[in-house]
Amino acid sequence: VQLQASGGGLVQAGGSLRLSCVASGRTFSNYVMGWYRQAPGKERELVAAISWGGGSADYADSVKGRFTISRDNAKNTVYLQMSSLKPEDTAVYYCAQGLTMKDAITHNGLNMADWGKGTQVTVSS
C-alpha cells in the first residue's frame, strides 16, 4: 500500500495550491480519503475528508469555503484545492485512506488504515 502526496510548496498569503495524492495497493474506490495537516508543535488535525464515490465531504471549520476536496477514482487520486491561503495553513499535509467517514473525521484520523509521507505547505505573510 502506498500513498504519494505531492503539490506542496511555498506560496504567498492569498495564493492557491492544489495537492494530489495517488494511492496504490488497494481498491481505491472502496476507501474514504482524507487530508490532514500537522504544524510544528501542534497536533495533527483533519482538513477534509471525502466519501468513497465523492458524493459527501466534510471540512474543518478553519478551511470551509477556502479548500475543496475531490477524488478521481479512475486515477486513484484525491485532490485538495486550497485557495485564499493564510500563514496559519502552514503545515505538513498528509493524505490517508480508511473504511468509513467516521474513521476519517473522528480523532483526527487515528483509525485511518494507511498514511502517506506528507507534503510541506508554507504560506508566507
Side-chain angles (χ1 to χ4, degrees):
V1 177
Q2 187 172 12
L3 299 174
Q4 183 64 52
S6 62
L10 173 63
V11 64
Q12 288 188 333
S16 299
L17 282 174
R18 188 176 82 154
L19 306 184
S20 301
C21 174
V22 180
S24 60
R26 299 190 188 272
T27 303
F28 183 73
S29 58
N30 288 349
Y31 287 83
V32 169
M33 300 300 297
W35 284 99
Y36 303 81
R37 66 187 182 187
Q38 187 166 20
K42 295 188 177 181
E43 291 187 355
R44 185 178 67 203
E45 63 177 358
L46 168 72
V47 177
I50 189 166
S51 61
W52 308 271
S56 177
D58 207 336
Y59 295 90
D61 287 343
S62 59
V63 307
K64 282 180 181 176
R66 300 188 298 122
F67 291 10
T68 302
I69 189 171
S70 61
R71 65 189 295 162
D72 185 339
N73 286 348
K75 296 182 178 179
N76 289 359
T77 303
V78 61
Y79 304 97
L80 185 68
Q81 178 67 47
M82 305 186 294
S83 302
S84 302
L85 282 161
K86 304 175 181 180
E88 51 263 44
D89 294 318
T90 295
V92 178
Y93 284 69
Y94 300 90
C95 60
Q97 60 185 17
L99 294 176
T100 68
M101 283 294 281
K102 182 178 179 180
D103 286 342
I105 66 174
T106 57
H107 307 300
N108 291 318
L110 178 66
N111 294 319
M112 294 293 269
D114 306 295
W115 290 83
K117 290 187 177 180
T119 184
Q120 176 71 46
V121 172
T122 303
V123 184
S124 63
S125 58

